[in-house]
Amino acid sequence: DAGVTQSPTHLIKTRGQHVTLRCSPISGHKSVSWYQQVLGQGPQFIFQYYEKEERGRGNFPDRFSARQFPNYSSELNVNALLLGDSALYLCASSLEQGSGGELFFGEGSRLTVL
Amino acid sequence: GEDVEQSLFLSVREGDSSVINCTYTDSSSTYLYWYKQEPGAGLQLLTYIFSNMDMKQDQRLTVLLNKKDKHLSLRIADTQTGDSAIYFCAELQYHNNDMRFGAGTRLTVKP
């Protein structure tokens, strides 16, 4: 069975541009979370979605938005990119909202902002 | 700063045991996790423990939880060179589904 898949794996943008990152959860998982991992740090929570609704939000500006589709896949959008947005963006899926237990991560999308 | 704290580096000899320590701050956290990250890769779930447990063992991995001191540890028995990676401790804050990570401990295993 496929794990959590993310696309693209790498991308380069310039300041002010917009980016869309995509995530497909493990089959049967209904919850998707997004994390930002800056080099040398642990991941920071951005959003959690369950049944197409936002169920949790971290301390990120409104330039960050996300949505979840009926097939439980998800997109993370970042507008007006800043140099500080350069990071590895990780998607994680779990069976239920706040289920604890097993939370599985994808390999991430590495964003470089020039 | 981080709510979850870990030492940044640990170096051991192959075959020895490794113990990675973590302290967390939210007493309402329900689950505590250990993840492994190899260079350029995502996070691999190693093990997790529910907050009403004191210990969990899974093959070479032993997790100990001291709720009174908010201290979590991961012991890796018979450490191998393939265990070299960054290990992250994380707590799940159930009220907002926020998983808080430490900065990671870089484990180096010397032959």
Side-chain angles (χ1 to χ4, degrees):
Chain A
D1 285 343
V4 179
T5 57
Q6 294 186 241
S7 64
T9 55
H10 296 82
L11 69 166
I12 299 174
K13 294 284 188 178
T14 56
R15 280 178 296 176
Q17 284 189 313
H18 161 271
V19 68
T20 298
L21 308 176
R22 296 177 176 83
C23 171
S24 292
I26 291 171
S27 178
H29 284 196
K30 299 178 181 178
S31 175
V32 170
S33 301
W34 287 95
Y35 290 79
Q36 180 196 64
Q37 187 180 20
V38 174
L39 195 63
Q41 297 181 18
Q44 298 285 319
F45 174 69
I46 309 175
F47 289 111
Q48 194 226 6
Y49 276 77
Y50 175 72
E51 291 287 8
K52 302 183 290 296
E53 291 188 6
E54 182 183 303
R55 300 302 180 104
R57 173 185 280 257
N59 188 24
F60 280 79
D62 291 343
R63 298 185 296 109
F64 289 75
S65 63
R67 54 179 176 167
Q68 186 177 31
F69 299 99
N71 66 353
Y72 302 111
S73 67
S74 177
E75 282 182 355
L76 175 70
N77 294 284
V78 187
N79 293 323
L81 285 166
L82 303 173
L83 295 179
D85 295 331
S86 294
L88 180 68
Y89 288 85
L90 295 163
C91 174
S93 78
S94 61
L95 273 172
E96 302 289 340
Q97 171 196 354
S99 61
E102 296 176 327
L103 184 70
F104 296 97
F105 283 81
E107 293 293 306
S109 294
R110 187 166 295 282
L111 170 66
T112 301
V113 182
L114 301 176
Chain B
E2 302 285 353
D3 294 332
V4 179
E5 295 188 353
Q6 306 176 235
S7 53
L8 293 182
F9 301 97
L10 177 64
S11 180
V12 300
R13 293 271 178 207
E14 191 174 18
D16 288 349
S17 292
S18 307
V19 179
I20 303 172
N21 294 302
C22 168
T23 57
Y24 61 98
T25 58
D26 189 345
S27 58
S28 68
S29 293
T30 53
Y31 285 89
L32 296 134
Y33 298 80
W34 285 103
Y35 282 88
K36 176 184 180 182
Q37 187 174 39
E38 298 185 68
L43 297 174
Q44 175 192 353
L45 176 63
L46 289 178
T47 187
Y48 62 95
I49 188 168
F50 189 52
S51 57
N52 68 352
M53 298 170 64
D54 298 324
M55 185 184 86
K56 181 178 180 180
Q57 188 158 359
D58 184 1
Q59 299 183 337
R60 292 191 297 124
L61 305 178
T62 302
V63 177
L64 295 178
L65 175 60
N66 181 329
K67 284 195 71 176
K68 175 177 172 291
D69 296 335
K70 298 190 183 69
H71 183 265
L72 183 73
S73 67
L74 174 69
R75 179 178 180 269
I76 305 173
D78 187 24
T79 313
Q80 303 297 307
T81 54
D83 294 324
S84 293
I86 299 176
Y87 290 79
F88 290 96
C89 166
E91 59 175 346
L92 178 65
Q93 299 188 329
Y94 198 79
H95 65 281
N96 67 351
N97 301 315
D98 181 355
M99 182 177 277
R100 297 286 182 97
F101 285 83
T105 299
R106 182 179 295 276
L107 174 64
T108 302
V109 182
K110 299 178 180 178

